[in-house]
Amino acid sequence: MRDKIESLFRKHNIKGVSCDSRNIRPDDAFFAIRGETIDGNQFINEALQIAKIVFTEDASRKEEEVFYIQNIRLALAIAAGIIYPNLSANLVAITGTNGKTSVVSYIYQILKLLGQEAATIGTLGINSTIELEEKFLKELPHSLTTTDPITFRKILNKLAEKKISNVVFEASSHGITQRRLGDIKAKTAGFTSFSQDHLDYHKTMDNYLEAKLQLFRDNLEEKGEVVINTEILDSTYGDFVKNFFTKHGIHYFGVGKSGNIKVKNISSSITGNIVDFEYNKRNYAFTTNIIGSFQAVNLLMAAKMTANLGIDFDRIVEVLEKVTAVTGRLQRITALESEVQVFVDYAHTPDALEKSLLELRNIKAQQGGMLYVVFGCGGDRDPSKRELMGQVACKLADYVVVTDDNPRTENPEKIRLDVLKGAAGAEEVPGRELAIKRTTGKLKKNDILLIAGKGHETYQIIGNRTLFFSDIETAQKMLLLRNK
């Protein structure tokens, strides 16, 4: 496929690529992609008025400058790599239902603490140890969780030009399935967790898992290593995952209670964790102020992937205590000495909500008080997880408030009712700001509140409008009012 595209690009002197007929330039090749709502093939005639050539999966098109190609999405990603060919020496890809953003950040922080040049691409945008031009950054889309293949290769090309040798990026199941990574190869990759999400897109858990595993088959160097959370290997999907790795000759390394890095003990408290683990028949320990035992595993996964880039493991362990939490990931927004504790977390799946509530329930047991949770579920997304999240919340929290979280084009009341099917006895509060206000007002000494679902996000999508809204800022404001 690459040879065919390169040959046509040389013949027609192609300087750019596009999959949006509105943005075509005279020296572009247009890729007609059939999406969920828009079919690029409908715009081929329009595209031919500007673009030099067009690629399509529709074999019936017989125009002179229209070329048939199999797997148009992969073709676009490969073409983007031809236009933007530069790559950093070390690429690291992270996938998983939950934990991608945290692990990406942890690897970046470790590399930076050790004096290495590094950059990240993902949910939180681009972070780089070398400053990037403001003009370049402004041209990028706001969301970069496995962005479109043209933007992805443009960013990788820029980072390579800046001599940044290590680039760590999130690989979403949508991005993997749609072949947005093209034919790039990562030196090492991580698989952080696997639980229900995105079934509106993948339809079944088996399809969802296969999408994740596709990353390691198609976008990992031949001798690259997958670092995997042993919770996945020990789950009902463990044998399937192991057999997949064996079938495709993929080397994997487990981190967790039963892993190659064996987590022996995690002492959790309101101040963080003390972590004891074993690796290569040696015992190690480190402290971290990052809340959550699951984050200790994420830290160790990050440590191993960093070591896979050729950095001494003992040097990495020495800096782990300096790694800080990621914004909106079980982030405490109250002072340590506050009489109540409020946390904001991105948890928007049943598994993530359960893990966060279990951690806070453990802390609550140490200091007394009640555990509150405020959360909702997104509209136009997997509806099957709503009742499950209601069940998890009611099982683990003492007081549950069900509210709104990016209802999008769905009726917010309908979404809340879906959640309440699994949350008998929960309080329903329309409007997220009101829900946070009411709940913070109920808190008494030693109580803990988890506000879940949005984390770092600073918007609320209602209908077709995107409005500014921050859980962190809203909670801080309500806590100030509460204390007056």
Side-chain angles (χ1 to χ4, degrees):
M1 179 184 286
R2 174 176 279 272
D3 290 344
K4 178 180 179 179
I5 296 171
E6 285 182 330
S7 174
L8 286 168
F9 276 22
R10 284 194 299 270
K11 180 180 177 181
H12 295 275
N13 195 27
I14 299 299
K15 302 296 185 184
V17 290
S18 175
C19 59
D20 186 335
S21 61
R22 297 167 298 181
N23 299 330
I24 299 173
R25 295 171 301 183
D27 292 327
D28 279 359
F30 175 70
F31 287 74
I33 293 178
R34 183 177 290 110
E36 292 182 55
T37 56
I38 298 175
D39 184 356
N41 290 283
Q42 297 176 352
F43 302 95
I44 287 178
N45 292 337
E46 179 183 328
L48 284 171
Q49 296 177 25
I50 305 173
K52 285 190 171 181
I53 57 175
V54 170
F55 289 90
T56 177
E57 281 182 322
D58 183 355
S60 67
R61 303 295 301 232
K62 302 299 182 183
E63 292 93 332
E64 184 179 351
E65 304 303 337
V66 177
F67 299 92
Y68 169 78
I69 198 160
Q70 286 185 318
N71 199 332
I72 190 73
R73 290 183 180 275
L74 176 59
L76 173 62
I78 290 173
I82 294 169
I83 300 298
Y84 302 104
N86 297 315
L87 291 171
S88 299
N90 297 325
L91 301 180
V92 182
I94 314 295
T95 196
T97 307
N98 305 302
K100 295 186 295 295
T101 303
S102 291
V103 173
V104 164
S105 174
Y106 296 159
I107 296 172
Y108 172 77
Q109 290 184 61
I110 292 167
L111 289 166
K112 188 176 180 180
L113 286 164
L114 294 173
Q116 302 287 317
E117 301 296 353
T120 66
I121 309 169
T123 304
L124 301 181
I126 299 176
N127 283 298
S128 172
T129 53
I130 295 177
E131 188 175 355
L132 302 177
E133 295 87 349
E134 191 66 27
K135 181 178 181 295
F136 173 76
L137 295 173
K138 283 183 176 179
E139 292 173 351
L140 302 177
H142 294 298
S143 177
L144 294 175
T145 308
T146 323
T147 184
D148 71 88
I150 301 172
T151 302
F152 184 60
R153 287 307 298 254
K154 187 183 295 186
I155 295 170
L156 290 177
N157 192 76
K158 172 64 72 173
L159 296 174
E161 288 178 348
K162 290 288 185 178
K163 310 299 181 186
I164 296 172
S165 54
N166 305 289
V167 178
V168 193
F169 59 89
E170 297 179 41
S172 70
S173 58
H174 290 68
I176 297 166
T177 303
Q178 295 172 7
R179 301 307 306 268
R180 296 181 211 166
L181 304 179
D183 55 358
I184 67 168
K185 301 293 183 181
K187 180 155 286 187
T188 186
F191 194 178
T192 58
S193 66
F194 182 73
S195 61
Q196 182 175 331
D197 202 11
H198 305 306
L199 294 190
D200 53 315
Y201 180 80
H202 295 290
K203 308 305 180 187
T204 69
M205 289 294 286
D206 288 347
N207 290 345
Y208 181 35
L209 178 58
E210 287 173 9
K212 295 291 189 188
L213 294 174
Q214 185 180 319
L215 170 71
F216 312 122
R217 184 192 68 206
D218 296 340
N219 298 108
L220 184 67
E221 290 183 6
E222 186 176 346
K223 294 183 179 180
E225 178 182 80
V226 177
V227 178
I228 184 170
N229 187 329
T230 57
E231 279 192 3
I232 301 170
L233 300 176
D234 296 335
S235 73
T236 55
Y237 299 98
D239 288 341
F240 183 88
V241 173
K242 293 172 190 173
N243 290 336
F244 179 92
F245 287 154
T246 300
K247 176 183 177 181
H248 295 283
I250 298 168
H251 177 64
Y252 65 95
F253 181 102
V255 177
K257 291 181 179 178
S258 59
N260 304 92
I261 287 181
K262 184 177 181 180
V263 179
K264 299 173 74 173
N265 187 58
I266 302 173
S267 299
S268 299
S269 70
I270 194 68
T271 60
N273 295 310
I274 302 172
V275 185
D276 296 290
F277 69 96
E278 180 184 324
Y279 173 48
N280 274 345
K281 298 181 180 180
R282 281 190 57 189
N283 291 318
Y284 294 84
F286 69 94
T287 60
T288 174
N289 60 10
I290 301 174
I291 302 292
S293 58
F294 58 90
Q295 292 290 17
V297 175
N298 286 338
L299 272 166
L300 289 172
M301 290 184 66
K304 183 59 173 70
M305 279 180 273
T306 306
N308 289 348
L309 303 180
I311 298 173
D312 181 70
F313 186 78
D314 287 356
R315 287 186 63 211
I316 294 168
V317 175
E318 288 174 2
V319 302
L320 287 182
E321 66 178 20
K322 297 178 182 178
V323 175
T324 59
V326 180
T327 302
R329 270 54 178 185
L330 207 53
Q331 178 184 356
R332 184 178 62 236
I333 63 167
T334 40
L336 189 58
E337 65 276 9
S338 176
E339 69 172 13
V340 301
Q341 296 292 335
V342 178
F343 293 82
V344 170
D345 191 50
Y346 190 51
H348 57 279
T349 68
D351 181 64
L353 184 62
E354 181 176 34
K355 281 184 166 63
S356 294
L357 285 172
L358 280 171
E359 293 296 334
L360 298 180
R361 189 178 176 88
N362 179 46
I363 292 170
K364 185 202 79 164
Q366 299 170 25
Q367 62 184 43
M370 290 179 62
L371 175 57
Y372 290 74
V373 62
V374 172
F375 78 103
C377 287
D380 303 330
R381 298 293 186 269
D382 179 12
S384 66
K385 69 181 181 181
R386 295 171 185 172
E387 184 174 345
L388 296 175
M389 290 185 70
Q391 291 172 357
V392 166
C394 283
K395 180 178 72 173
L396 296 174
D398 300 308
Y399 197 98
V400 177
V401 178
V402 176
T403 188
D404 305 322
D405 181 352
N406 292 339
R408 299 183 176 87
T409 62
E410 276 196 76
N411 183 333
E413 183 180 7
K414 165 64 166 58
I415 299 171
R416 295 194 302 271
L417 289 174
D418 286 346
V419 177
L420 289 165
K421 289 175 184 176
E427 181 182 2
E428 179 187 4
V429 181
R432 197 169 180 92
E433 182 172 4
L434 179 60
I436 294 171
K437 180 179 181 180
R438 283 189 184 176
T439 311
T440 53
K442 295 178 188 290
L443 299 177
K444 295 182 174 62
K445 186 175 181 180
N446 292 330
D447 287 348
I448 297 173
L449 166 61
L450 173 66
I451 304 170
K454 297 186 69 61
H456 67 283
E457 291 179 352
T458 56
Y459 55 84
Q460 182 81 306
I461 305 173
I462 301 173
N464 294 313
R465 296 181 302 156
T466 300
L467 309 172
F468 176 82
F469 187 89
S470 164
D471 278 354
I472 296 171
E473 288 190 17
T474 302
Q476 287 172 335
K477 180 176 71 174
M478 298 308 173
L479 286 165
L480 284 174
L481 292 173
R482 176 184 181 276
N483 294 328
K484 284 186 177 179

